[in-house]
Amino acid sequence: MTVWDDVVGQEAAIVTLKHAVSAAAQMVEAGPRSAAVAGMTHAWLLTGPPGSGRSTAARAFAAALQCVEGGCGHCKPCLTALAGTHADVSLIATEHVQLRVDDVRPLITTAQRSPSAGRWRVIVIEDADRLNDSSGNVLLKAIEEPPPRTVWLLCAPSADDVLVTIRSRCRRIGLRIPPVDAVAALLVRRDGADPAVAAFAARAAQSHIGLARRLALDEGARIRRREVLKLPGKLRSVGAAVLAAGQLVEVAADESKAATTERDAVERAALLHSLGAEGLSTLPPAVRSQVRQLEENQKRRATRAQRDVLDRSLVDLLSLYRDVLVLQFGCVDANGSVDGVELVNAELADLLWSEAQASTPTATLRRMEAIGQARERIEANVSPLLAVEALMVQLRPVA
Ligand SMILES: [Zn+2]
């Protein structure tokens, strides 16, 4: 076992990162004032589509830098770095829409300090695409003149999502979408998922590792996904379409609420505790304003979570029509795959066949385009219900 085991389907990236780890080890051995060794650099940008394992790759790299053996996977530095508890590895993720100056400033201070026990001080920013102009500028200064033993690891969906001033200072590593069977194998090995369920989950999630994991381990998620995929069959009238839209938005709200409510309460209790205001029936004005600030942040986070869940449902719907199109083009026939193309939703074959026969490729493409439009509108802050209602009306079968 090594730290790279969970970085699935990324052989090319791992070769580059391993090369950097050995260059880094030479620098450590040469002493604190050593010159840079080719292959290692102070700022990295890991890019890859959502679910490709950016943060897993960043943690593995951080662990390998701390490990005397370059990432053995079982020593204390490896295990603590992977778990996110290594004293010299800071992991920053945000659920805010943006990373603000206040979020970034503490990192700059941390980055100036030499590593306490480890070989490198590593700072991982999981959402570098959420830096805004001011926080990006603050960060830029730190990245331009790093202390000799500090490494920045920035993660983002693509280089285009990161401020150009920042990305031009970083060495880029691109991750690809991992193969379905590699994701399934990871779910079995790492999460103890049943092999058949893991294979289904990896395929249904189209190799998005986080979604696949949730589908493999959470039966509720599997049921919700199935319900979403059955929605198009229920769109007989405009009234039914509006009803279906309401259902879809409500399911997204429930699911994101389940995920955030508990954490909101914990955060509130922790804030009151730190302000010495636990158990007070009336909060003093200074405390009240801080609580209000927290509540506003939580509300923003809830909105974002709801939109993310809704977007996942729309991606599921997109996979349904993608399958319908595959059938209409004859890439898969009654005997199975014709040219190596597989159905994402093979378990819904009956539904897919009847959709395929009831419509035409042109109609299917138009529906896929409508889903894409709805996703864009929601991303652009259109009311989710309005956007989904308009979509459902467009998905109705043509009479
Ligand atoms: Zn190790």
Side-chain angles (χ1 to χ4, degrees), residues 62-309:
L65 287 172
Q66 305 295 7
C67 175
V68 184
E69 290 172 45
C72 69
H74 45 73
C75 69
K76 197 174 165 215
C78 276
L79 293 173
T80 51
L82 290 176
T85 54
H86 193 293
D88 295 325
V89 179
S90 312
L91 301 163
I92 312 305
T94 182
E95 273 151 348
H96 292 301
V97 178
Q98 293 195 321
L99 271 168
R100 296 158 310 178
V101 172
D102 287 350
D103 300 322
V104 170
R105 236 187 264 289
L107 303 180
I108 311 291
T109 318
T110 308
Q112 292 307 317
R113 299 205 303 262
S114 328
S116 60
R119 293 151 73 90
W120 295 85
R121 179 163 292 285
V122 184
I123 301 175
V124 181
I125 301 186
E126 295 193 355
D127 307 286
D129 49 315
R130 295 195 196 151
L131 289 162
N132 59 27
D133 283 348
S134 25
S135 60
N137 260 325
V138 171
L139 184 65
L140 182 61
K141 294 200 186 84
I143 289 186
E144 278 175 327
E145 292 159 20
R149 285 289 173 270
T150 293
V151 183
W152 291 89
L153 305 182
L154 277 49
C155 306
S158 78
D160 291 337
D161 296 319
V162 181
L163 297 172
V164 63
T165 44
I166 302 254
R167 69 171 190 251
S168 62
R169 302 296 192 291
C170 296
R171 175 134 177 237
R172 213 183 120 197
I173 297 277
L175 303 183
R176 59 176 188 141
I177 296 173
V180 169
D181 47 1
V183 173
L186 174 73
L187 297 177
V188 172
R189 183 173 50 75
R190 184 190 67 185
D191 304 313
D194 170 78
V197 176
F200 155 78
R203 180 168 45 75
Q206 299 179 66
S207 287
H208 185 302
I209 297 170
L211 290 186
R213 179 175 185 277
R214 209 169 114 263
L215 278 178
L217 303 183
D218 177 359
E219 200 193 353
R222 291 199 291 275
I223 294 172
R224 278 190 296 273
R225 180 173 192 280
R226 196 174 253 270
E227 277 171 5
V228 166
L229 293 178
K230 285 184 174 166
L231 278 179
K234 298 178 184 165
L235 307 175
R236 296 279 166 255
S237 63
V238 172
V242 170
L243 209 65
Q247 261 176 26
L248 192 64
V249 173
E250 204 172 305
V251 167
D254 287 350
E255 190 176 339
S256 54
K257 199 171 172 205
T260 50
T261 308
E262 191 181 337
R263 196 169 33 171
D264 286 356
V266 171
E267 281 177 359
R268 189 189 159 93
L271 177 67
L272 291 179
H273 177 75
S274 72
L275 297 172
E278 283 165 305
L280 295 182
S281 54
T282 320
L283 298 176
V287 174
R288 219 178 309 147
S289 80
Q290 294 221 37
V291 170
R292 203 177 311 123
Q293 178 72 45
L294 176 72
E295 284 170 350
E296 270 167 28
N297 283 340
Q298 291 179 337
K299 208 173 140 197
R300 263 201 298 275
R301 184 168 68 192
T303 308
R304 204 190 126 102
Q306 187 185 340
R307 275 163 206 257
D308 287 349
V309 173

